[in-house]
Amino acid sequence: MTSEVYMDQPEILTQALSKFYEELERSNLPVNTFMLLRKGEVITEFYRQPYRKNVPQILFSLSKSFTSIAAGILN
């Protein structure tokens, strides 16, 4: 697992993120990457091996889900 926290974060947020990452690992959920944004800026990233930053991932059904959500919001 690789994770990074950006910006100066309050200690409580860093602790919460560490607990979240530990829970992801423990639960064996199929989460390959995780990115948290705040006000349009990335504040933390998580990559499970073998996935890495700057390496594209194939997102078949996920792309359809985002497209249908966007279409629903526009209606």
Side-chain angles (χ1 to χ4, degrees):
M1 170 181 76
T2 304
S3 64
E4 300 178 30
V5 178
Y6 303 99
M7 300 174 34
D8 291 330
Q9 297 297 317
E11 185 175 315
I12 196 161
L13 177 58
T14 302
Q15 290 173 356
L17 288 170
S18 293
K19 186 175 179 179
F20 174 73
Y21 293 143
E22 288 171 11
E23 185 63 26
L24 274 179
E25 286 295 311
R26 189 185 66 71
S27 66
N28 290 322
L29 288 172
V31 176
N32 300 332
T33 61
F34 172 79
M35 184 180 290
L36 179 64
L37 286 83
R38 181 173 183 248
K39 297 181 180 179
E41 296 202 21
V42 177
I43 61 171
T44 189
E45 298 176 65
F46 164 87
Y47 302 92
R48 182 171 281 150
Q49 295 297 334
Y51 302 96
R52 299 177 313 279
K53 186 176 183 176
N54 300 325
V55 176
Q57 293 185 44
I58 299 171
L59 305 171
F60 295 111
S61 294
L62 185 61
S63 299
K64 290 185 276 184
S65 298
F66 282 131
T67 301
S68 64
I69 290 169
I73 291 171
L74 290 175
N75 275 332

